[in-house]
């Protein structure tokens, strides 16, 4: 393992210190471990809190700011935050209008956010929980803990964040978030496994000519292993899986997401292939985003996300956003 | 079981988790994301520190304190699950400095119920329940048959180990391993393995007891 760290045990704490140094415009509570907008809580504004394991940067701390999240709680690497942390963040952003928790569907995230929401309710804070479960690689949810939350998390946070920014009420913001999740599907490929600092070795062994199809974002193995094929074929297989899972009969928002270890040149190539194939399939692309947004440490790989976007979603997607990881129009 | 033994149990669990952290992590890497040993070790290290700092006066408070410490330090799924198990067990006990084996049975039952309620898993789903449930059954049967703590805990530890080994051919339906479907078959579940460490630790400390009493001498569980 070759990483720029001091001690595997302190990586998250020291990264949080560094995040604070890099972003003086945000409020970083290193003791309670959350990042909040400097102007939170804003009276009457619905608060948006997300969080999850560290190692997915810029998700979620990088999406705190005007037009997106009010606070984020980073857990240990690939481990969800604890209820204390989530409760502290929830308190910090509650402006009296309630708080939406955006939770990726992983058992740890779900349980810890559930406990935090119960604690918040005891304090009189109304919490709406929105579960993100867009990963179509998980086929039969009756045999699993449900589908995983992956790339669509960014779309949910952006669009719900815009709705909250313009004054939407708790129910409206939660509904906007749920609508984006329901309209989204994702599929990922890994070329290499991720190496967590604590483990010091890759999460799984992958021979040079093989790839993992249908991976999540925690360095866990995927749906199956297969031979590396040309990018064109992989993109088509991934998009076929997404298009088969949900109706995509109108304009989509396309996210071409890198998992951390894949250079942009490959992501742009993939975007080109995706655009070509979607055109063939008669699916118009209304908006697109290419880059490393929902990552898995140093994993080489990519995920594709499609969201069947309504006019309202596109309007909210275009709304100004000013965060470390996503910024336009502001 | 008295307060001292309850503390020894938590301390022995922490030691077993520390010693087994690498193995737990390797098991987790096969079907999860490879952090179970690291996370649980972080949590139980905090448990030992918390119990050293506070010295709760009853067995129930020792377990409840251990549970809330795990919940606030571990994260992931194992934090809430182990945390609520110990907390529920601790709260189910009478607030006395020593508890009888049958009271411990009821408490461990409350702990298992809390895990099942929170995680929604059933036996056979390839989770910690597959070690915890048979261990509790063995413990309960031994106590009903008149066994003391040491004997009952030894039976529980054997059942937990067997239960953990029995997860190898199972297909995971809960947690991160469930996303692998058939590929989760053939690997021992890390959660069931860590649960077996906890029961083995209970058995180990019960054989000797904190004051050095042998198993025959332990009448007051």
């Amino acid at each position: 393992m070759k990483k720029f760290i001091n001690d595997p045990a302190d990586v998250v704490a020291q990264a949080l210190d560094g995040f604070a140094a890099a972003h003086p415009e945000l409020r970083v509570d290193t003791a309670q471990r959350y990042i909040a907008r400097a102007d939170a809580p804003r009276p009457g504004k619905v608060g948006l809190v997300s969080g999850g394991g560290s190692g997915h940067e810029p998700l979620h701390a990088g999406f705190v700011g005007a037009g997106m999240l009010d606070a984020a709680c980073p857990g240990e690497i690939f481990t969800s935050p604890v209820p204390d942390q989530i409760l502290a963040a929830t308190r910090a952003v509650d402006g009296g209008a309630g708080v939406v928790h955006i939770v990726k569907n992983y058992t740890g995230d779900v349980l810890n956010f559930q406990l935090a929401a119960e604690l918040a309710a005891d304090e009189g804070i109304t919490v709406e929980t929105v579960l993100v479960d867009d990963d179509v690689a998980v086929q039969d949810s009756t045999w699993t803990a449900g589908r995983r939350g992956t790339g669509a998390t960014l779309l949910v946070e952006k669009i719900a964040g815009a709705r909250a920014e313009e004054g939407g009420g708790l129910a409206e913001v939660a509904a906007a978030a749920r609508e984006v999740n329901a309209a989204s599907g994702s599929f990922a490929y890994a070329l290499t496994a991720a190496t967590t600092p604590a483990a010091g070795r890759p999460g799984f062994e992958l021979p040079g000519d093989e790839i993992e199809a249908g991976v999540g974002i925690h360095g866990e193995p995927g749906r199956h292993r297969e031979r590396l094929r040309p990018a064109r074929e992989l993109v088509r297989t991934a998009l076929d899986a997404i298009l088969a899972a949900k109706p995509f009969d109108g304009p989509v928002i396309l996210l071409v997401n890198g998992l951390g270890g894949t250079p942009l040149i490959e992501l742009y190539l993939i975007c080109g292939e995706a655009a070509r194939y979607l055109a063939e399939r008669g699916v118009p692309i209304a908006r697109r985003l290419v880059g490393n947004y929902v990552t898995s440490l140093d994993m080489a790989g990519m995920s594709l996300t499609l969201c069947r976007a309504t006019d309202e979603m596109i309007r909210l997607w275009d709304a100004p956003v000013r965060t470390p990881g996503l910024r336009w129009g502001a | 079981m008295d307060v001292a033994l309850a503390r020894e149990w938590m301390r022995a669990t922490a030691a077993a988790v520390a010693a087994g952290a690498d193995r737990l992590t390797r098991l987790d890497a096969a079907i999860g994301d490879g952090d179970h040993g690291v996370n649980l070790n972080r949590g139980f290290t905090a448990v030992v520190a918390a119990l050293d700092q506070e010295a709760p006066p009853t067995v129930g408070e020792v377990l409840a304190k251990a549970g809330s410490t795990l919940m606030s330090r571990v994260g992931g799924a194992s934090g809430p699950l182990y945390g609520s198990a110990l907390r529920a067990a601790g709260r189910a006990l009478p607030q006395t400095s020593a508890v009888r084996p049958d009271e411990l049975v009821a408490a461990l039952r409350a702990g298992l119920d809390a895990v099942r309620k929170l995680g929604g898993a059933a036996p056979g789903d390839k989770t910690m329940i597959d070690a915890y449930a048979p261990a509790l059954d063995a413990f309960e049967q031994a106590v009903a048959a008149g066994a003391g703590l040491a004997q009952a805990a030894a039976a529980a530890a054997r059942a937990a180990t067997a239960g953990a080994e029995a997860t190898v051919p199972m297909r995971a339906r809960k947690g991160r391993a469930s996303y692998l479907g058939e590929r989760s078959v053939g690997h021992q579940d890390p959660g069931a393995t860590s649960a077996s460490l906890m029961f083995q630790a209970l058995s180990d400390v019960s054989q000797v007891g904190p004051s050095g009493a042998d198993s025959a001498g332990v009448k007051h569980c």
Side-chain angles (χ1 to χ4, degrees), chain A residues 78-80 84 105 107 112 144-146 148 212 218 220-222, chain B residues 26 32-33 35 39 42 72 75-76 118 173 175-176 178-180 183:
Chain A
F78 292 169
T79 301
S80 66
D84 301 3
N105 191 30
T107 310
N112 285 280
T144 69
R148 299 174 290 213
E212 282 275 345
H218 294 98
E220 68 268 52
Chain B
R26 270 201 311 277
D33 58 358
D35 63 1
N39 287 340
R42 185 174 64 246
S72 66
L118 194 60
R173 280 186 293 237
R176 243 168 240 176
S178 68
Y179 299 121
L180 301 186
R183 294 175 84 193

PDB file of all heavy atoms in Angstrom, chain A residues 78-80 84 105 107 112 144-146 148 212 218 220-222, chain B residues 26 32-33 35 39 42 72 75-76 118 173 175-176 178-180 183:
ATOM      1  N   PHE A  78     -15.449   3.907   4.625  1.00  0.00           N
ATOM      2  CA  PHE A  78     -16.448   2.921   4.195  1.00  0.00           C
ATOM      3  C   PHE A  78     -17.376   2.479   5.333  1.00  0.00           C
ATOM      4  O   PHE A  78     -18.033   1.440   5.244  1.00  0.00           O
ATOM      5  CB  PHE A  78     -15.781   1.681   3.572  1.00  0.00           C
ATOM      6  CG  PHE A  78     -15.113   1.953   2.254  1.00  0.00           C
ATOM      7  CD1 PHE A  78     -14.271   1.009   1.675  1.00  0.00           C
ATOM      8  CD2 PHE A  78     -15.311   3.137   1.570  1.00  0.00           C
ATOM      9  CE1 PHE A  78     -13.662   1.241   0.462  1.00  0.00           C
ATOM     10  CE2 PHE A  78     -14.702   3.387   0.351  1.00  0.00           C
ATOM     11  CZ  PHE A  78     -13.870   2.433  -0.207  1.00  0.00           C
ATOM     12  N   THR A  79     -17.425   3.240   6.422  1.00  0.00           N
ATOM     13  CA  THR A  79     -18.267   2.897   7.565  1.00  0.00           C
ATOM     14  C   THR A  79     -19.180   4.074   7.851  1.00  0.00           C
ATOM     15  O   THR A  79     -18.722   5.210   7.911  1.00  0.00           O
ATOM     16  CB  THR A  79     -17.388   2.624   8.801  1.00  0.00           C
ATOM     17  OG1 THR A  79     -16.498   1.553   8.503  1.00  0.00           O
ATOM     18  CG2 THR A  79     -18.237   2.248   9.996  1.00  0.00           C
ATOM     19  N   SER A  80     -20.451   3.789   8.053  1.00  0.00           N
ATOM     20  CA  SER A  80     -21.383   4.897   8.237  1.00  0.00           C
ATOM     21  C   SER A  80     -21.045   5.705   9.488  1.00  0.00           C
ATOM     22  O   SER A  80     -20.375   5.213  10.390  1.00  0.00           O
ATOM     23  CB  SER A  80     -22.795   4.344   8.362  1.00  0.00           C
ATOM     24  OG  SER A  80     -22.881   3.605   9.552  1.00  0.00           O
ATOM     25  N   ASP A  84     -24.644   9.858  17.135  1.00  0.00           N
ATOM     26  CA  ASP A  84     -24.282  11.122  17.794  1.00  0.00           C
ATOM     27  C   ASP A  84     -23.925  12.196  16.771  1.00  0.00           C
ATOM     28  O   ASP A  84     -24.306  13.353  16.886  1.00  0.00           O
ATOM     29  CB  ASP A  84     -23.051  10.940  18.705  1.00  0.00           C
ATOM     30  CG  ASP A  84     -23.281   9.912  19.788  1.00  0.00           C
ATOM     31  OD1 ASP A  84     -24.361   9.305  19.790  1.00  0.00           O
ATOM     32  OD2 ASP A  84     -22.379   9.721  20.624  1.00  0.00           O
ATOM     33  N   ASN A 105     -28.808   3.351   0.669  1.00  0.00           N
ATOM     34  CA  ASN A 105     -29.323   2.088   1.214  1.00  0.00           C
ATOM     35  C   ASN A 105     -28.219   1.067   1.475  1.00  0.00           C
ATOM     36  O   ASN A 105     -28.005   0.140   0.684  1.00  0.00           O
ATOM     37  CB  ASN A 105     -30.386   1.495   0.280  1.00  0.00           C
ATOM     38  CG  ASN A 105     -31.112   0.343   0.944  1.00  0.00           C
ATOM     39  OD1 ASN A 105     -31.268   0.321   2.172  1.00  0.00           O
ATOM     40  ND2 ASN A 105     -31.543  -0.627   0.157  1.00  0.00           N
ATOM     41  N   THR A 107     -26.954  -1.160   5.026  1.00  0.00           N
ATOM     42  CA  THR A 107     -27.487  -1.471   6.350  1.00  0.00           C
ATOM     43  C   THR A 107     -26.967  -0.521   7.426  1.00  0.00           C
ATOM     44  O   THR A 107     -27.731  -0.007   8.235  1.00  0.00           O
ATOM     45  CB  THR A 107     -27.143  -2.926   6.721  1.00  0.00           C
ATOM     46  OG1 THR A 107     -27.532  -3.752   5.622  1.00  0.00           O
ATOM     47  CG2 THR A 107     -27.898  -3.363   7.950  1.00  0.00           C
ATOM     48  N   ASN A 112     -27.921   3.649  11.459  1.00  0.00           N
ATOM     49  CA  ASN A 112     -27.419   4.795  12.222  1.00  0.00           C
ATOM     50  C   ASN A 112     -28.270   6.043  12.004  1.00  0.00           C
ATOM     51  O   ASN A 112     -28.524   6.797  12.938  1.00  0.00           O
ATOM     52  CB  ASN A 112     -25.947   5.066  11.876  1.00  0.00           C
ATOM     53  CG  ASN A 112     -25.020   4.050  12.522  1.00  0.00           C
ATOM     54  OD1 ASN A 112     -24.704   4.155  13.704  1.00  0.00           O
ATOM     55  ND2 ASN A 112     -24.606   3.044  11.768  1.00  0.00           N
ATOM     56  N   THR A 144     -31.855  -9.602  -1.012  1.00  0.00           N
ATOM     57  CA  THR A 144     -30.787  -8.756  -0.494  1.00  0.00           C
ATOM     58  C   THR A 144     -31.389  -7.724   0.444  1.00  0.00           C
ATOM     59  O   THR A 144     -32.591  -7.701   0.670  1.00  0.00           O
ATOM     60  CB  THR A 144     -30.085  -7.978  -1.629  1.00  0.00           C
ATOM     61  OG1 THR A 144     -30.997  -7.001  -2.140  1.00  0.00           O
ATOM     62  CG2 THR A 144     -29.654  -8.897  -2.740  1.00  0.00           C
ATOM     63  N   ALA A 145     -30.530  -6.864   0.973  1.00  0.00           N
ATOM     64  CA  ALA A 145     -30.993  -5.771   1.815  1.00  0.00           C
ATOM     65  C   ALA A 145     -31.551  -4.641   0.953  1.00  0.00           C
ATOM     66  O   ALA A 145     -31.598  -3.499   1.362  1.00  0.00           O
ATOM     67  CB  ALA A 145     -29.841  -5.275   2.683  1.00  0.00           C
ATOM     68  N   GLY A 146     -31.978  -4.959  -0.259  1.00  0.00           N
ATOM     69  CA  GLY A 146     -32.488  -3.957  -1.185  1.00  0.00           C
ATOM     70  C   GLY A 146     -31.368  -3.469  -2.080  1.00  0.00           C
ATOM     71  O   GLY A 146     -30.220  -3.878  -1.937  1.00  0.00           O
ATOM     72  N   ARG A 148     -28.567  -0.945  -3.637  1.00  0.00           N
ATOM     73  CA  ARG A 148     -27.644   0.010  -3.015  1.00  0.00           C
ATOM     74  C   ARG A 148     -27.866   1.420  -3.529  1.00  0.00           C
ATOM     75  O   ARG A 148     -28.358   1.636  -4.637  1.00  0.00           O
ATOM     76  CB  ARG A 148     -26.198  -0.378  -3.357  1.00  0.00           C
ATOM     77  CG  ARG A 148     -25.808  -1.740  -2.865  1.00  0.00           C
ATOM     78  CD  ARG A 148     -24.439  -2.125  -3.362  1.00  0.00           C
ATOM     79  NE  ARG A 148     -24.415  -2.393  -4.776  1.00  0.00           N
ATOM     80  CZ  ARG A 148     -23.618  -3.297  -5.343  1.00  0.00           C
ATOM     81  NH1 ARG A 148     -22.774  -3.981  -4.619  1.00  0.00           N
ATOM     82  NH2 ARG A 148     -23.647  -3.488  -6.642  1.00  0.00           N
ATOM     83  N   GLU A 212     -14.708  -6.458 -12.369  1.00  0.00           N
ATOM     84  CA  GLU A 212     -15.894  -6.771 -11.570  1.00  0.00           C
ATOM     85  C   GLU A 212     -17.048  -5.947 -12.115  1.00  0.00           C
ATOM     86  O   GLU A 212     -16.941  -4.718 -12.229  1.00  0.00           O
ATOM     87  CB  GLU A 212     -15.676  -6.392 -10.101  1.00  0.00           C
ATOM     88  CG  GLU A 212     -14.834  -7.376  -9.328  1.00  0.00           C
ATOM     89  CD  GLU A 212     -15.636  -8.554  -8.760  1.00  0.00           C
ATOM     90  OE1 GLU A 212     -16.879  -8.486  -8.719  1.00  0.00           O
ATOM     91  OE2 GLU A 212     -14.992  -9.532  -8.365  1.00  0.00           O
ATOM     92  N   HIS A 218     -18.081   0.510  -2.023  1.00  0.00           N
ATOM     93  CA  HIS A 218     -17.319   0.235  -0.809  1.00  0.00           C
ATOM     94  C   HIS A 218     -16.182  -0.738  -1.024  1.00  0.00           C
ATOM     95  O   HIS A 218     -15.702  -1.351  -0.090  1.00  0.00           O
ATOM     96  CB  HIS A 218     -18.239  -0.320   0.282  1.00  0.00           C
ATOM     97  CG  HIS A 218     -19.227   0.682   0.734  1.00  0.00           C
ATOM     98  ND1 HIS A 218     -20.503   0.707   0.265  1.00  0.00           N
ATOM     99  CD2 HIS A 218     -19.111   1.704   1.590  1.00  0.00           C
ATOM    100  CE1 HIS A 218     -21.156   1.720   0.820  1.00  0.00           C
ATOM    101  NE2 HIS A 218     -20.336   2.337   1.627  1.00  0.00           N
ATOM    102  N   GLU A 220     -16.392  -3.507  -2.203  1.00  0.00           N
ATOM    103  CA  GLU A 220     -16.832  -4.891  -2.117  1.00  0.00           C
ATOM    104  C   GLU A 220     -16.911  -5.470  -3.520  1.00  0.00           C
ATOM    105  O   GLU A 220     -17.094  -4.746  -4.482  1.00  0.00           O
ATOM    106  CB  GLU A 220     -18.197  -4.988  -1.420  1.00  0.00           C
ATOM    107  CG  GLU A 220     -19.371  -4.410  -2.189  1.00  0.00           C
ATOM    108  CD  GLU A 220     -19.628  -2.943  -1.842  1.00  0.00           C
ATOM    109  OE1 GLU A 220     -18.672  -2.155  -1.909  1.00  0.00           O
ATOM    110  OE2 GLU A 220     -20.780  -2.610  -1.543  1.00  0.00           O
ATOM    111  N   PRO A 221     -16.771  -6.799  -3.610  1.00  0.00           N
ATOM    112  CA  PRO A 221     -16.911  -7.420  -4.929  1.00  0.00           C
ATOM    113  C   PRO A 221     -18.297  -7.147  -5.511  1.00  0.00           C
ATOM    114  O   PRO A 221     -19.228  -6.806  -4.790  1.00  0.00           O
ATOM    115  CB  PRO A 221     -16.729  -8.913  -4.646  1.00  0.00           C
ATOM    116  CG  PRO A 221     -16.036  -8.998  -3.335  1.00  0.00           C
ATOM    117  CD  PRO A 221     -16.467  -7.795  -2.567  1.00  0.00           C
ATOM    118  N   GLY A 222     -18.419  -7.319  -6.820  1.00  0.00           N
ATOM    119  CA  GLY A 222     -19.677  -6.962  -7.483  1.00  0.00           C
ATOM    120  C   GLY A 222     -20.557  -8.151  -7.793  1.00  0.00           C
ATOM    121  O   GLY A 222     -20.511  -9.168  -7.122  1.00  0.00           O
TER     122      GLY A 222
ATOM    123  N   ARG B  26     -10.376 -10.207   7.295  1.00  0.00           N
ATOM    124  CA  ARG B  26     -10.211 -11.053   6.099  1.00  0.00           C
ATOM    125  C   ARG B  26     -11.533 -11.699   5.703  1.00  0.00           C
ATOM    126  O   ARG B  26     -11.882 -11.753   4.526  1.00  0.00           O
ATOM    127  CB  ARG B  26      -9.158 -12.131   6.349  1.00  0.00           C
ATOM    128  CG  ARG B  26      -7.740 -11.713   5.970  1.00  0.00           C
ATOM    129  CD  ARG B  26      -6.838 -12.927   5.751  1.00  0.00           C
ATOM    130  NE  ARG B  26      -6.930 -13.883   6.840  1.00  0.00           N
ATOM    131  CZ  ARG B  26      -6.257 -13.782   7.983  1.00  0.00           C
ATOM    132  NH1 ARG B  26      -5.448 -12.760   8.178  1.00  0.00           N
ATOM    133  NH2 ARG B  26      -6.398 -14.693   8.932  1.00  0.00           N
ATOM    134  N   GLY B  32     -17.709  -8.677   2.163  1.00  0.00           N
ATOM    135  CA  GLY B  32     -18.161  -7.331   2.510  1.00  0.00           C
ATOM    136  C   GLY B  32     -17.101  -6.347   2.065  1.00  0.00           C
ATOM    137  O   GLY B  32     -16.555  -6.472   0.985  1.00  0.00           O
ATOM    138  N   ASP B  33     -16.805  -5.388   2.927  1.00  0.00           N
ATOM    139  CA  ASP B  33     -15.818  -4.394   2.523  1.00  0.00           C
ATOM    140  C   ASP B  33     -14.570  -4.420   3.397  1.00  0.00           C
ATOM    141  O   ASP B  33     -13.742  -3.536   3.316  1.00  0.00           O
ATOM    142  CB  ASP B  33     -16.442  -3.001   2.514  1.00  0.00           C
ATOM    143  CG  ASP B  33     -16.990  -2.653   3.871  1.00  0.00           C
ATOM    144  OD1 ASP B  33     -16.904  -3.501   4.771  1.00  0.00           O
ATOM    145  OD2 ASP B  33     -17.503  -1.536   4.037  1.00  0.00           O
ATOM    146  N   ASP B  35     -13.883  -4.297   6.831  1.00  0.00           N
ATOM    147  CA  ASP B  35     -13.565  -3.408   7.953  1.00  0.00           C
ATOM    148  C   ASP B  35     -14.161  -3.883   9.280  1.00  0.00           C
ATOM    149  O   ASP B  35     -14.085  -3.176  10.278  1.00  0.00           O
ATOM    150  CB  ASP B  35     -14.034  -1.977   7.656  1.00  0.00           C
ATOM    151  CG  ASP B  35     -15.543  -1.890   7.484  1.00  0.00           C
ATOM    152  OD1 ASP B  35     -16.223  -2.922   7.610  1.00  0.00           O
ATOM    153  OD2 ASP B  35     -16.038  -0.789   7.219  1.00  0.00           O
ATOM    154  N   ASN B  39     -13.405  -2.039  12.843  1.00  0.00           N
ATOM    155  CA  ASN B  39     -14.488  -1.283  13.489  1.00  0.00           C
ATOM    156  C   ASN B  39     -14.801  -1.805  14.890  1.00  0.00           C
ATOM    157  O   ASN B  39     -14.946  -1.030  15.840  1.00  0.00           O
ATOM    158  CB  ASN B  39     -15.764  -1.350  12.643  1.00  0.00           C
ATOM    159  CG  ASN B  39     -15.646  -0.508  11.396  1.00  0.00           C
ATOM    160  OD1 ASN B  39     -14.810   0.390  11.335  1.00  0.00           O
ATOM    161  ND2 ASN B  39     -16.463  -0.794  10.413  1.00  0.00           N
ATOM    162  N   ARG B  42     -12.076  -0.989  17.340  1.00  0.00           N
ATOM    163  CA  ARG B  42     -12.163   0.407  17.771  1.00  0.00           C
ATOM    164  C   ARG B  42     -13.243   0.554  18.853  1.00  0.00           C
ATOM    165  O   ARG B  42     -13.057   1.223  19.865  1.00  0.00           O
ATOM    166  CB  ARG B  42     -12.483   1.303  16.568  1.00  0.00           C
ATOM    167  CG  ARG B  42     -12.483   2.791  16.897  1.00  0.00           C
ATOM    168  CD  ARG B  42     -12.665   3.664  15.656  1.00  0.00           C
ATOM    169  NE  ARG B  42     -13.956   3.460  15.020  1.00  0.00           N
ATOM    170  CZ  ARG B  42     -14.145   2.936  13.823  1.00  0.00           C
ATOM    171  NH1 ARG B  42     -13.127   2.565  13.095  1.00  0.00           N
ATOM    172  NH2 ARG B  42     -15.362   2.772  13.332  1.00  0.00           N
ATOM    173  N   SER B  72     -21.975   4.564  19.902  1.00  0.00           N
ATOM    174  CA  SER B  72     -21.488   5.913  19.592  1.00  0.00           C
ATOM    175  C   SER B  72     -20.068   5.900  19.023  1.00  0.00           C
ATOM    176  O   SER B  72     -19.547   6.948  18.676  1.00  0.00           O
ATOM    177  CB  SER B  72     -21.553   6.807  20.830  1.00  0.00           C
ATOM    178  OG  SER B  72     -20.657   6.348  21.804  1.00  0.00           O
ATOM    179  N   GLY B  75     -20.157   2.804  14.378  1.00  0.00           N
ATOM    180  CA  GLY B  75     -20.728   3.100  13.065  1.00  0.00           C
ATOM    181  C   GLY B  75     -21.035   1.811  12.325  1.00  0.00           C
ATOM    182  O   GLY B  75     -21.029   0.732  12.917  1.00  0.00           O
ATOM    183  N   GLY B  76     -21.254   1.922  11.012  1.00  0.00           N
ATOM    184  CA  GLY B  76     -21.566   0.737  10.229  1.00  0.00           C
ATOM    185  C   GLY B  76     -22.794   0.020  10.764  1.00  0.00           C
ATOM    186  O   GLY B  76     -23.602   0.604  11.479  1.00  0.00           O
ATOM    187  N   LEU B 118     -34.040  -4.521  14.968  1.00  0.00           N
ATOM    188  CA  LEU B 118     -33.307  -3.458  14.277  1.00  0.00           C
ATOM    189  C   LEU B 118     -32.851  -3.895  12.889  1.00  0.00           C
ATOM    190  O   LEU B 118     -33.005  -3.174  11.905  1.00  0.00           O
ATOM    191  CB  LEU B 118     -32.105  -3.052  15.139  1.00  0.00           C
ATOM    192  CG  LEU B 118     -31.384  -1.754  14.780  1.00  0.00           C
ATOM    193  CD1 LEU B 118     -32.330  -0.567  14.870  1.00  0.00           C
ATOM    194  CD2 LEU B 118     -30.194  -1.542  15.718  1.00  0.00           C
ATOM    195  N   ARG B 173     -28.588 -12.768   2.945  1.00  0.00           N
ATOM    196  CA  ARG B 173     -29.782 -12.007   2.551  1.00  0.00           C
ATOM    197  C   ARG B 173     -29.845 -10.643   3.212  1.00  0.00           C
ATOM    198  O   ARG B 173     -30.752  -9.860   2.969  1.00  0.00           O
ATOM    199  CB  ARG B 173     -31.039 -12.807   2.906  1.00  0.00           C
ATOM    200  CG  ARG B 173     -31.355 -13.896   1.876  1.00  0.00           C
ATOM    201  CD  ARG B 173     -32.662 -14.561   2.181  1.00  0.00           C
ATOM    202  NE  ARG B 173     -32.590 -15.310   3.414  1.00  0.00           N
ATOM    203  CZ  ARG B 173     -32.859 -16.612   3.511  1.00  0.00           C
ATOM    204  NH1 ARG B 173     -33.228 -17.285   2.463  1.00  0.00           N
ATOM    205  NH2 ARG B 173     -32.778 -17.219   4.677  1.00  0.00           N
ATOM    206  N   GLY B 175     -27.381  -7.208   4.893  1.00  0.00           N
ATOM    207  CA  GLY B 175     -26.071  -6.582   4.933  1.00  0.00           C
ATOM    208  C   GLY B 175     -25.397  -6.549   3.571  1.00  0.00           C
ATOM    209  O   GLY B 175     -25.979  -6.936   2.549  1.00  0.00           O
ATOM    210  N   ARG B 176     -24.152  -6.096   3.577  1.00  0.00           N
ATOM    211  CA  ARG B 176     -23.458  -5.890   2.318  1.00  0.00           C
ATOM    212  C   ARG B 176     -23.211  -7.186   1.564  1.00  0.00           C
ATOM    213  O   ARG B 176     -23.144  -7.199   0.345  1.00  0.00           O
ATOM    214  CB  ARG B 176     -22.129  -5.188   2.597  1.00  0.00           C
ATOM    215  CG  ARG B 176     -22.082  -3.830   1.953  1.00  0.00           C
ATOM    216  CD  ARG B 176     -20.930  -3.031   2.446  1.00  0.00           C
ATOM    217  NE  ARG B 176     -21.388  -1.805   3.075  1.00  0.00           N
ATOM    218  CZ  ARG B 176     -20.585  -0.960   3.663  1.00  0.00           C
ATOM    219  NH1 ARG B 176     -19.301  -1.181   3.722  1.00  0.00           N
ATOM    220  NH2 ARG B 176     -21.062   0.134   4.191  1.00  0.00           N
ATOM    221  N   SER B 178     -25.161  -9.467   1.086  1.00  0.00           N
ATOM    222  CA  SER B 178     -26.341  -9.882   0.323  1.00  0.00           C
ATOM    223  C   SER B 178     -26.247  -9.446  -1.135  1.00  0.00           C
ATOM    224  O   SER B 178     -26.848 -10.061  -2.008  1.00  0.00           O
ATOM    225  CB  SER B 178     -27.609  -9.301   0.951  1.00  0.00           C
ATOM    226  OG  SER B 178     -27.662  -7.901   0.809  1.00  0.00           O
ATOM    227  N   TYR B 179     -25.455  -8.399  -1.404  1.00  0.00           N
ATOM    228  CA  TYR B 179     -25.345  -7.918  -2.783  1.00  0.00           C
ATOM    229  C   TYR B 179     -24.570  -8.892  -3.662  1.00  0.00           C
ATOM    230  O   TYR B 179     -24.593  -8.796  -4.874  1.00  0.00           O
ATOM    231  CB  TYR B 179     -24.692  -6.533  -2.813  1.00  0.00           C
ATOM    232  CG  TYR B 179     -25.508  -5.521  -2.044  1.00  0.00           C
ATOM    233  CD1 TYR B 179     -24.975  -4.827  -0.967  1.00  0.00           C
ATOM    234  CD2 TYR B 179     -26.838  -5.289  -2.385  1.00  0.00           C
ATOM    235  CE1 TYR B 179     -25.743  -3.920  -0.253  1.00  0.00           C
ATOM    236  CE2 TYR B 179     -27.607  -4.389  -1.681  1.00  0.00           C
ATOM    237  CZ  TYR B 179     -27.059  -3.711  -0.618  1.00  0.00           C
ATOM    238  OH  TYR B 179     -27.812  -2.827   0.088  1.00  0.00           O
ATOM    239  N   LEU B 180     -23.873  -9.816  -3.034  1.00  0.00           N
ATOM    240  CA  LEU B 180     -23.099 -10.783  -3.811  1.00  0.00           C
ATOM    241  C   LEU B 180     -23.944 -11.973  -4.250  1.00  0.00           C
ATOM    242  O   LEU B 180     -23.523 -12.754  -5.089  1.00  0.00           O
ATOM    243  CB  LEU B 180     -21.921 -11.305  -2.984  1.00  0.00           C
ATOM    244  CG  LEU B 180     -20.931 -10.262  -2.498  1.00  0.00           C
ATOM    245  CD1 LEU B 180     -19.756 -10.951  -1.840  1.00  0.00           C
ATOM    246  CD2 LEU B 180     -20.468  -9.395  -3.642  1.00  0.00           C
ATOM    247  N   ARG B 183     -22.516 -15.566  -4.732  1.00  0.00           N
ATOM    248  CA  ARG B 183     -21.071 -15.463  -4.470  1.00  0.00           C
ATOM    249  C   ARG B 183     -20.760 -15.364  -2.984  1.00  0.00           C
ATOM    250  O   ARG B 183     -19.608 -15.466  -2.583  1.00  0.00           O
ATOM    251  CB  ARG B 183     -20.488 -14.249  -5.193  1.00  0.00           C
ATOM    252  CG  ARG B 183     -20.537 -14.370  -6.690  1.00  0.00           C
ATOM    253  CD  ARG B 183     -20.049 -13.093  -7.334  1.00  0.00           C
ATOM    254  NE  ARG B 183     -18.598 -13.037  -7.444  1.00  0.00           N
ATOM    255  CZ  ARG B 183     -17.931 -11.936  -7.730  1.00  0.00           C
ATOM    256  NH1 ARG B 183     -18.571 -10.801  -7.877  1.00  0.00           N
ATOM    257  NH2 ARG B 183     -16.621 -11.958  -7.844  1.00  0.00           N
TER     258      ARG B 183
END
